[in-house]
Amino acid sequence: MKTRSLLFIFLGLCLLYIVATVALPIDPAAAERYNLSPVAARFLNLAVAIPFSGIWLIAWYGFSHLRSYARRIRNTKEGPAFQSIAQGTKILVFSLPITAVMSAFLNYLAIQDANFEPISTILRNYVRLLLPFISFMYISRGASMLLKTVKHPRGVQYPRFSTIGLIILSTTFTWLIINRPSTVDGLGAAYFMPDWLVLSTIAVPYLYMWTRGLYAAYQITMYKKYVKGSVYKFFLSYLSRGFTTIILVSVLMQFILTVSSRILRLNLTPILLIVYVLVFLSSIGYIYIARGAKRLNSIEDV
Amino acid sequence: MTEKSSSLYQQIVEISEDYLGPTAERFINRQIETHLAIVPEKIKEKDLKKLVQWIKLAFSLISNDTDESTEYAARLLNLIESSASYGKAR
């Protein structure tokens, strides 16, 4: 599909999200929890939606330059690797407005009918998982292919302390899920599913996705380290930094969302602060990607 | 003659790889084909000076590092002297 067509679809999704934020009824329980009037709640929604949409456009900017570069070099040795990474980035970028729009409509349906809340929550959890999962698999595959194009020592295959790091991440995440606040029938407020189902169909896929994603960021960094070319490496460092940032931020955001019931106990200001900081960080990641891709494209231009 | 030219081309690419990595060969091929209008592998010593001028110009559009650009050009120009020494020795 042409880049322009993709852009129109993306802009349409962003617009749909902003319209949904304004047009759909607000959650009365949330408004009461934070002591907000309906008007104030709508303004707050917009105060989140508009910066989010702006960040998504920055994400698109980063992706479009990466895509342009990947297409340029598709018939070279590194071409298939960059194409896979670009494909994964496309899915990750599109997942931003898609999950937001679906969440907004699922929330609306849950507000309209309390019986729909469990279905809405379950669907929202799986939607949040599915697209980033697919994107991380593509990025991971691309990063692995990229590293194979250069000669590197065998020891770089796995970063130091990766095993203990993953054990800590897995146990912390699993503990937070198991110890989440419960509602009726022993089902968790964040999931409306029994623990075994949450662990097997949400926790395990998330942990696998994060492992692959973080490893991909490491592999791209190692590719940059072992590839030849001082100027090429310098330009590649932007891509490396960008991917490391967006993967880390994506992991952190998903981690926070999956244990969101604990976050919701905070006052509004810390919640907004956490959201804005994470979104700002991810925008920096995409700006780095755009910068790196543009500079790499400049080599192919002359 | 063709073997020597091919070797010269390979030397140019090898030096370029130190700066441009995997993009070096494509970069060099473009400079030779566009500005010298010859088959890249058939480049000769007499073409090298002109090629280096074009490479320096193109490189300046990619990178602001003038030291690196100067070093790159100098290494390429050294190939002319190496080729001249090779010719005399023969």
Side-chain angles (χ1 to χ4, degrees), chain B residues 46-58:
Chain B
K46 63 180 176 66
D47 305 314
L48 201 49
K49 249 188 187 161
K50 198 174 171 191
L51 175 65
V52 171
Q53 283 172 358
W54 284 112
I55 285 175
K56 215 177 167 187
L57 182 64

Side-chain angles (χ1 to χ4, degrees), chain A residues 187-207:
Chain A
L187 296 176
Y191 301 102
F192 288 96
M193 292 193 299
D195 286 350
W196 67 268
L197 198 56
V198 173
L199 287 174
S200 58
T201 64
I202 290 181
V204 166
Y206 264 119
L207 286 165

Side-chain angles (χ1 to χ4, degrees), chain A residues 29-36 44 263-268 271:
Chain A
E32 195 183 318
R33 188 186 307 131
Y34 298 114
N35 206 23
L36 295 168
L44 189 61
I263 300 290
L264 291 175
R265 289 185 199 158
L266 296 174
N267 290 329
L268 199 51
I271 294 174

Side-chain angles (χ1 to χ4, degrees), chain A residues 161-176 207 210 255:
Chain A
F161 307 118
S162 57
T163 308
I164 188 68
L166 285 170
I167 289 171
I168 292 170
L169 179 67
S170 310
T171 29
T172 308
F173 186 57
T174 310
W175 179 82
L176 284 168
L207 286 165
W210 294 340
F255 189 91

